[in-house]
Amino acid sequence: MASNDYHGGKANILYSFKDSERLDNLFVLMIKYLQLMGQISPDLSSYVPTFLSPIERWFSRLYGFLILFSVLHVALFLAKNTFDVLETGELEQITDSLMLTIIYSFASFSSAYWMFRQKRLMEVLQEINQLHRHHSLAGVTFVSYRCSYNLAHKMAKYWNLWCIVGVVFWALAPLCMGSHTLPLPCWYPFDALLPFIYELVYITQIWAQFNMGLLFGNGSALFVAIIIIVLGQFDVLFCSLKNLDSHALLMSGQSLKAIKVSQSLQDDKDSEVNQYLYSTEYLSDLENLSQQVLNRGDKSFKQRLHAALIECVHLHQFILKACDTLEELFNPFCLIKSLQVTLQLCLLVFVGVEGERSTVRIVNCLQYLCLTLAEFFLFAYFGEMLRCHSVRVGDALWRSRWWLNAHLIKRDVFIFLTNSERTAKITAGKLFVMDLDRLRAVVTQAFSFLTLLQNMAEKRENEVA
């Protein structure tokens, strides 16, 4: 058994009946969503014979391009329609068509971007799957990764479901109104309202709308899921730092009396319990753990304390490396997303204020507006949480009583405290930090553009009058 197995490695050593076993794939649901949209090539090798594997690979790639085409051709036809309505001068029609063009253009970008970066993305997910710690160092208490995993799983599932429901209603609007029109005002090089052709085009637009909803949600769901898992690893690190001295006592085979005294203090109202973002702190089953330690060979308290600190350093380095890779993957995506949200918010509010007052139209605009605000809030909020949580590493170290044995690990502690000052953050194109200030800035910019559009609309009404 590797030395790392006892503190969060691949071996499923449980610290109590409340502990959870290790999972080999933390992102199984997200990968399924990405494969469904062709952003990651679906693996069909288990369904076809070996001699057909080259065809299977080509089919997987073709499927991804088919999904991309379903939204890209709508984006292009919407862009053509926008240029056509520019000649009419009807600001309401222009903004309506331009809004849909922006939405479908970003969906096309999202599909193409993750198809292009899928190899790098899978490397990141594999690295997190292999190196994550499923629980903290054994000691007085422990935390598990399970809470953060469950939250990431639920966020991905319900956010994508909400996106699908929100955008599909737009596709069903003509049916609700009983009108012989298409849900998306696209230009077509033929008469799309002819019998049979109308039904075919309508089905194509519903399919494109469904794909757009998942492409809209997949990027933010992936971003949120990875960050929640990383924040769960910070919780594991904080608890491991808190358990440095008790872990060394336990692993060196010394008396459990001092650790049990510390456990009894966990019920004290003045003690700091559950200081973690997502994880729940539990008391360790010391009797069971001590029996497992008996067969691990004798090492001194100093060696165990040093090894525990080294494990914390390795975990901290793994988390920072994961954050750096996440920044590399998402900073272009977040830059385009910021631009899209700014324009989209402006147009959605303008269409809602100045546009037609039909019930279906108001519901559609409100759905898109809520989805747009909620999505960018997810980017900003979890970017903020990552930045704030990453600087608490040094504070977590002081919760342990390592200073009673500072002469044993003094140099290592100084190095660790220096590295703990590094802040993990996600940026938009290396220009802006994705945090709540960025959300405020985007909303402010959107309403500035809205004021400009309203002034243009008022000026045109005066000219017509």
Side-chain angles (χ1 to χ4, degrees):
M1 185 184 298
S3 60
N4 183 42
D5 287 343
Y6 200 76
H7 19 74
K10 294 185 177 181
N12 284 318
I13 299 175
L14 303 183
Y15 293 172
S16 80
F17 70 94
K18 295 182 179 180
D19 199 0
S20 302
E21 293 188 347
R22 182 186 181 88
L23 289 179
D24 293 328
N25 192 348
L26 301 177
F27 306 98
V28 59
L29 181 63
M30 273 314 310
I31 291 176
K32 287 182 178 178
Y33 278 127
L34 293 169
Q35 289 177 338
L36 177 62
M37 288 295 98
Q39 295 168 292
I40 292 178
S41 299
D43 184 10
L44 305 175
S45 57
S46 58
Y47 301 100
V48 298
T50 305
F51 67 92
L52 292 178
S53 56
I55 299 177
E56 179 268 329
R57 287 193 294 270
W58 277 105
F59 178 80
S60 299
R61 295 173 184 172
L62 179 63
Y63 175 76
F65 282 106
L66 186 63
I67 298 294
L68 173 59
F69 174 76
S70 71
V71 291
L72 180 59
H73 88 277
V74 173
L76 295 176
F77 288 165
L78 283 168
K80 176 62 169 65
N81 183 73
T82 303
F83 284 116
D84 290 343
V85 297
L86 280 174
E87 299 177 359
T88 66
E90 293 293 335
L91 197 57
E92 179 184 329
Q93 295 182 11
I94 295 172
T95 53
D96 199 353
S97 181
L98 182 59
M99 175 189 67
L100 292 172
T101 303
I102 292 172
I103 292 173
Y104 271 86
S105 297
F106 181 80
S108 304
F109 163 77
S110 178
S111 177
Y113 182 79
W114 292 116
M115 286 173 62
F116 177 71
R117 302 300 302 272
Q118 62 175 296
K119 182 178 179 181
R120 183 60 176 145
L121 174 61
M122 289 305 296
E123 289 175 354
V124 175
L125 300 185
Q126 280 293 98
E127 186 175 3
I128 295 176
N129 285 328
Q130 292 175 2
L131 300 180
H132 80 275
R133 274 61 166 177
H134 60 291
H135 48 46
S136 58
L137 291 174
V140 174
T141 60
F142 73 93
V143 300
S144 169
Y145 76 105
R146 180 63 71 168
C147 293
S148 60
Y149 166 76
N150 290 340
L151 179 60
H153 187 87
K154 290 178 182 178
M155 284 290 297
K157 180 171 67 173
Y158 291 118
W159 171 245
N160 276 307
L161 181 63
W162 188 21
C163 289
I164 294 172
V165 172
V167 301
V168 167
F169 186 78
W170 186 292
L172 300 178
L175 293 179
C176 297
M177 295 185 296
S179 62
H180 189 70
T181 58
L182 292 171
L184 303 173
C186 290
W187 169 88
Y188 286 98
F190 50 81
D191 188 355
L193 300 181
L194 293 176
F196 181 72
I197 295 180
Y198 171 75
E199 287 78 10
L200 184 62
V201 172
Y202 200 119
I203 292 172
T204 302
Q205 289 197 356
I206 289 179
W207 182 49
Q209 193 76 351
F210 175 82
N211 291 337
M212 186 273 291
L214 267 179
L215 290 170
F216 183 92
N218 269 353
S220 48
L222 178 65
F223 178 84
V224 169
I226 296 178
I227 285 191
I228 290 177
I229 295 296
V230 170
L231 290 173
Q233 291 298 291
F234 271 117
D235 285 347
V236 169
L237 175 60
F238 295 166
C239 190
S240 295
L241 289 169
K242 179 180 177 181
N243 279 330
L244 277 180
D245 59 319
S246 59
H247 176 79
L249 288 172
L250 177 67
M251 297 295 287
S252 59
Q254 298 189 28
S255 173
L256 299 179
K257 183 178 180 180
I259 307 179
K260 289 182 177 179
V261 170
S262 298
Q263 280 193 338
S264 65
L265 294 177
Q266 294 298 314
D267 297 329
D268 193 291
K269 294 182 180 179
D270 296 329
S271 64
E272 189 178 17
V273 184
N274 294 332
Q275 67 271 27
Y276 310 103
L277 190 58
Y278 298 124
S279 303
T280 302
E281 189 177 32
Y282 300 108
L283 296 178
S284 302
D285 184 356
L286 296 176
E287 300 296 338
N288 182 43
L289 287 174
S290 62
Q291 291 299 320
Q292 297 181 56
V293 171
L294 293 177
N295 299 322
R296 296 184 56 85
D298 295 329
K299 282 192 176 181
S300 66
F301 175 81
K302 177 182 177 180
Q303 291 173 316
R304 291 298 186 184
L305 185 62
H306 184 263
L309 183 58
I310 293 300
E311 161 60 16
C312 292
V313 170
H314 288 165
L315 176 55
H316 189 219
Q317 290 175 340
F318 154 67
I319 294 173
L320 292 180
K321 183 179 179 182
C323 292
D324 288 341
T325 311
L326 188 63
E327 153 70 8
E328 173 201 338
L329 276 174
F330 274 96
N331 82 78
F333 189 88
C334 290
L335 180 63
I336 303 300
K337 170 58 67 175
S338 297
L339 177 62
Q340 178 230 348
V341 169
T342 302
L343 297 176
Q344 194 170 314
L345 278 179
C346 166
L347 295 173
L348 281 169
V349 176
F350 179 80
V351 169
V353 172
E354 302 290 338
E356 181 186 347
R357 288 294 190 272
S358 68
T359 303
V360 174
R361 185 181 181 84
I362 292 174
V363 171
N364 284 334
C365 288
L366 282 176
Q367 285 178 327
Y368 272 114
L369 180 63
C370 291
L371 286 174
T372 302
L373 283 173
E375 184 192 31
F376 201 74
F377 174 77
L378 291 177
F379 276 96
Y381 174 77
F382 284 98
E384 175 89 11
M385 295 306 296
L386 180 64
R387 182 177 64 83
C388 294
H389 211 52
S390 64
V391 297
R392 296 181 55 211
V393 178
D395 296 338
L397 182 61
W398 294 103
R399 296 192 181 96
S400 170
R401 293 180 298 175
W402 64 267
W403 40 268
L404 296 176
N405 303 284
H407 60 287
L408 302 177
I409 54 172
K410 179 173 61 176
R411 186 180 62 177
D412 300 302
V413 167
F414 285 155
I415 295 174
F416 182 82
L417 288 175
T418 301
N419 293 332
S420 69
E421 296 177 1
R422 180 181 170 188
T423 304
K425 57 186 178 182
I426 308 298
T427 66
K430 304 290 186 181
L431 300 175
F432 315 102
V433 177
M434 294 299 292
D435 54 16
L436 294 178
D437 287 337
R438 183 60 189 154
L439 174 64
R440 178 184 54 80
V442 166
V443 173
T444 302
Q445 292 168 2
F447 278 92
S448 298
F449 285 127
L450 172 63
T451 303
L452 178 62
L453 283 178
Q454 288 178 321
N455 292 336
M456 291 174 60
E458 185 179 352
K459 181 179 179 181
R460 178 168 180 78
E461 288 178 0
N462 294 334
E463 290 177 353
V464 172

